[in-house]
Each structure stands twice: as structure tokens, then as C-alpha cells.
Amino acid sequence: MYLTKSEEKAVSGEHGRALELAYRVLLAIGRLSNAEKLIPIKWAHVSGVSYLTIGDYGLDFLRGISKEKNAKFRVFTTVNPCGMDIENWDCLDIPADYAEKQLRIINAYEKLGIASSFTCIPFESYKVPVRGTHVSWAESSAAIYANSILDLRTNRESAVSALASALTGKTVYSELHIDENRKPTIAIKVNLGRVFKGSLDFGILGYFAGKRTKGVVQFRGIPSTNSIDESKALCAALGTVGSTGMFTVGNSSNLETIDFSKKDYEEIFDNISDSETGEAVVFGCPQMTIEELYRLSKAVRGKKFKRKCIVFCSSKIYELAKSRGYAEAIEHSGAVFVRDSCADFTPLISSLNVDSVTTDSVKGAHYMKSVHGVKVALKNVESIVEENTS
Ligand code: F3S
């Protein structure tokens, strides 16, 4: 792989240990993918923030890197949700030793120069660069959204490769950074015999597509103008299973086509949703957008949750919801906001001490089952509110 003189010096350690490691990571990925060079990026989005997922090894690694000479993020860098509400963790049954380690992880990222985003939907709160801009985003749902909806260029980065990109300001010129690799290679034709609509439908479709396809997938028979929330649900579920990094909506000829029928829908649904009801309600995987909070605030106005209800969103979105009166209406219903945290990779779900939860998220259902061992009732937001409030 071609390296500039400056990149060669960095690989040999002349610019410090942090840059040496970061360039070596990119070089290894570049060689594996037969990339010709590295390219500059405008935005890195790093994952690997929750102590629940990276543990002591990740914490020590980040703290070590943050103390190295020249260890600074060289491009605008946002971070995924962490494993607790940073402000209110002590009111939410988070163990103190866990919180301390989580705060040390955040401190290491802050030393490196993050924007304190703590969100898996960074496109909702920050100005998105012009179409075609190269970025390096970890968090599969965000990377798929970047490629498919925002027309940015990113591969599905890992926590380590996105960190290397943040430190160097570069990424490997491969796969979805190259225009010819962004064409669909397989199509899925949706035919449920009814109108295809709402985040739950899009989530189920994404899960089906993730299981059945690799490479760029084209969807047929779905509206081309989806809401942010529907697109977000599709991207999240698509990234949960399988390796696809991008989709299109269209009708290209000459593509192998898989049908997505009512029977396929029901099979996926039954596979994910293994409970009729949940003992608690969880909203916000990916974290909730301002539009979702608006709709939830309207749905719960004048009602009270009969069960514990937790709503995950970023601090930025919470503050916006507060300024518009949505947060107050939701809190008045008894729901509790958990800010800046991941809905699935937090000890909070286990500490609820429930055997089942209700959620509207396919991705959330997948991870709450596998990480916390709870059963899941998967429903749309309207049904959840109707069944769980009085
Ligand atoms: Fe976001 Fe965590 Fe779900 S990062 S997409 S809330 S698994």
C-alpha cells in the first residue's frame, strides 16, 4: 500500500507511539483489503465507550493511548453512547465501581478530544458534511445510515479502526469508499400484501436482509421517502446481523432478487418476539430522535405508565425535547429518561430485575435477549403506550 513520507515516518514511530499504533492498524487493514492508499476524512465516529463492552482491558488501553505524545484526535470525532447516564447514574442503580470505571473511559476520550456526543445517531445533532464526503464511522447502524441516507462514504468500522482514523485523520481507501463498490449486487422485493409502514416494519425487513444478503442490497416495494425513524430502524436491524454496509431503494434490472413475503415477516417477528407482554418498557435503540420524542409525548399525554418505562436519548436531544415541552410530557407519564447511554449495553437493564421487556426496536430486542437474557415483546409504539398506560 502506498504511504506518503510522513505516513512512513509515523509508522516507524517518529511521531510518537499513539500515531505509530494507529497507522499500523490502518496499514494492516489496508493490506488485508488490497487498498492502494489512505485518504483523509472529515469526521470519525468511535464506538467502544461502554465499560460493559470494553471492560478493564479497553479502559487500560484508552488511558494508555491518551497519555502518549501527540495523542490527539485530528478530525471532528463523535462517540457512541456509554454504559450509563453520566449525570444521573447514582439515581439509577448503577454500581459505584462500574460508574467510576465508566467515567475513566470518558475522561480518556475527552483527553483525546471528543465532541461529547454519546450518541449512536450523530447525524441528528451535528451538521452533516456534503454528499460524497469520506468519514470513518463505527457503530454499524450509523455507518449504514451514513452510506445509504446521507450519501457519505464510510466502511463499517470497528472500535479500533475508527479510533485509528480519529488519531490520524485518515482511513483506508477500500470497499464503500470506492464508487464502483457502492452499486447493489442483490435485491429484496417487499410484498406483504398490505401497506409497508412504520419503524417496526422497517426493522423486521432490515433483520431479514441482514441475514440473507452480503454487500450492497437494493430494496424494492418500499417507499423511497421514509421518515428518519423508519430509516434508522432499517439501518439498525440491518447492521445487527450480517455484514452489509449500505442499501439503496430502487428498481435496477439484472439483480438476483429475494422475495420478502408475509410469511418471512412473521417468521422473523416470531423469532425475535418471544413474549406477549413485558414487565418493563424500553424505548431508544438506536437512541430516540426529536421526532420520536415528539410523537411519544403526544401519545402519553394525560396517561401514566403502569410499568417502569425507560427512554434512551442523548443529552443534546433531551435538552431540545425539554425546550419544546416534550420531555416534561413524557416524564409526567412516569417514564424515566436515561441520557447518553446505550439501551442494551448498560447494567441498568439487568438491574431492573425483570424477566421480560417490551420494546419497539428489533435491534434492541436482539441485544436485550442475548446480553441480558430477558424475553422480549416486540410492538409498535402506539400499541406499547396503549397496553402499558392507564
Ligand atoms: Fe445505539 Fe446501543 Fe442500540 S449504541 S443502536 S442504543 S445497541
Side-chain angles (χ1 to χ4, degrees):
M1 190 170 82
Y2 169 77
L3 293 180
T4 64
K5 287 273 175 283
S6 161
E7 288 165 353
E8 277 177 2
K9 283 184 181 173
V11 172
S12 67
E14 278 191 42
H15 301 320
R17 180 83 179 129
L19 277 173
E20 179 188 343
L21 276 176
Y23 272 107
R24 283 188 184 277
V25 166
L26 296 180
L27 193 57
I29 296 168
R31 283 180 178 149
L32 277 174
S33 53
N34 286 324
E36 66 182 77
K37 60 183 178 181
L38 300 177
I39 52 168
I41 54 159
K42 284 267 192 283
W43 184 344
H45 179 76
V46 298
S47 60
V49 192
S50 170
Y51 177 67
L52 196 68
T53 52
I54 70 170
D56 287 325
Y57 176 78
L59 164 60
D60 292 344
F61 175 76
L62 283 168
R63 277 168 61 82
I65 282 283
S66 71
K67 289 177 188 158
E68 292 287 346
K69 178 181 136 197
N70 272 336
K72 281 277 166 230
F73 289 158
R74 282 168 175 72
V75 285
F76 176 61
T77 301
T78 45
V79 283
N80 238 18
C82 68
M84 65 183 194
D85 186 317
I86 301 165
E87 296 292 324
N88 291 327
W89 62 267
D90 50 345
C91 312
L92 293 164
D93 290 333
I94 298 290
D97 57 337
Y98 174 95
E100 189 209 324
K101 289 180 172 177
Q102 181 62 79
L103 291 172
R104 285 162 80 183
I105 291 170
I106 292 167
N107 184 260
Y109 275 120
E110 282 173 345
K111 270 183 92 174
L112 291 165
I114 49 159
S116 299
S117 55
F118 303 108
T119 182
C120 45
I121 50 168
F123 45 83
E124 174 86 342
S125 297
Y126 297 90
K127 189 168 183 289
V128 173
V130 295
R131 302 175 93 82
T133 301
H134 294 276
V135 300
S136 176
W137 283 14
E139 176 47 50
S140 59
S141 63
I144 296 171
Y145 195 98
N147 281 317
S148 314
I149 308 296
L150 306 175
D151 199 21
L152 302 177
R153 307 282 189 265
T154 181
N155 289 326
R156 270 177 64 166
E157 301 293 348
S158 67
V160 172
S161 63
L163 181 66
S165 287
L167 286 163
T168 58
K170 294 178 186 171
T171 192
V172 175
Y173 186 55
S174 66
E175 301 174 49
L176 294 171
H177 288 283
I178 299 170
D179 282 351
E180 66 194 53
N181 296 337
R182 297 174 64 86
K183 295 181 186 139
T185 53
I186 191 159
I188 291 185
K189 189 172 168 206
V190 176
N191 186 0
L192 301 183
R194 63 166 172 83
V195 175
F196 186 83
K197 195 172 184 316
S199 299
L200 190 54
D201 279 358
F202 279 83
I204 299 277
L205 173 63
Y207 203 84
F208 174 82
K211 276 186 170 290
R212 296 288 295 272
T213 61
K214 291 182 192 152
V216 179
V217 57
Q218 181 178 84
F219 292 115
R220 298 179 183 164
I222 66 171
S224 55
T225 50
N226 318 319
S227 68
I228 290 182
D229 310 335
E230 289 169 336
S231 299
K232 179 172 79 97
L234 176 60
C235 295
L238 188 53
T240 300
V241 281
S243 58
T244 300
M246 179 175 167
F247 70 83
T248 65
V249 179
N251 207 6
S252 313
S253 52
N254 307 326
L255 286 177
E256 180 198 341
T257 301
I258 300 170
D259 286 321
F260 177 61
S261 64
K262 186 166 175 273
K263 183 168 165 281
D264 296 316
Y265 185 103
E266 286 167 357
E267 268 177 23
I268 295 280
F269 184 90
D270 291 344
N271 184 260
I272 299 171
S273 185
D274 55 1
S275 180
E276 280 296 309
T277 56
E279 295 168 60
V281 174
V282 175
F283 290 121
C285 173
Q287 289 175 330
M288 291 188 92
T289 62
I290 193 68
E291 289 85 356
E292 285 175 307
L293 291 177
Y294 165 65
R295 285 202 300 278
L296 184 60
S297 72
K298 278 186 42 172
V300 299
R301 206 167 281 273
K303 297 179 176 167
K304 291 277 182 205
F305 274 98
K306 296 182 279 190
R307 300 180 175 86
K308 194 155 220 171
C309 172
I310 306 178
V311 178
F312 288 85
C313 68
S314 69
S315 281
K316 271 184 180 291
I317 294 299
Y318 176 79
E319 291 304 328
L320 187 58
K322 207 168 146 189
S323 71
R324 296 184 183 178
Y326 312 158
E328 193 188 1
I330 293 168
E331 283 168 335
H332 202 253
S333 72
V336 175
F337 278 95
V338 175
R339 289 168 286 169
D340 297 331
S341 179
C342 166
D344 306 324
F345 296 100
T346 169
L348 184 61
I349 302 300
S350 292
S351 71
L352 289 173
N353 273 326
V354 294
D355 294 325
S356 59
V357 296
T358 304
T359 185
D360 62 328
S361 164
V362 170
K363 178 172 182 174
H366 176 94
Y367 282 115
M368 280 189 274
K369 284 165 69 162
S370 58
V371 176
H372 301 287
V374 291
K375 287 185 178 287
V376 173
L378 189 60
K379 307 193 176 203
N380 63 35
V381 176
E382 295 72 26
S383 306
I384 293 175
V385 171
E386 194 182 313
E387 292 171 19
N388 290 279
T389 57
S390 53

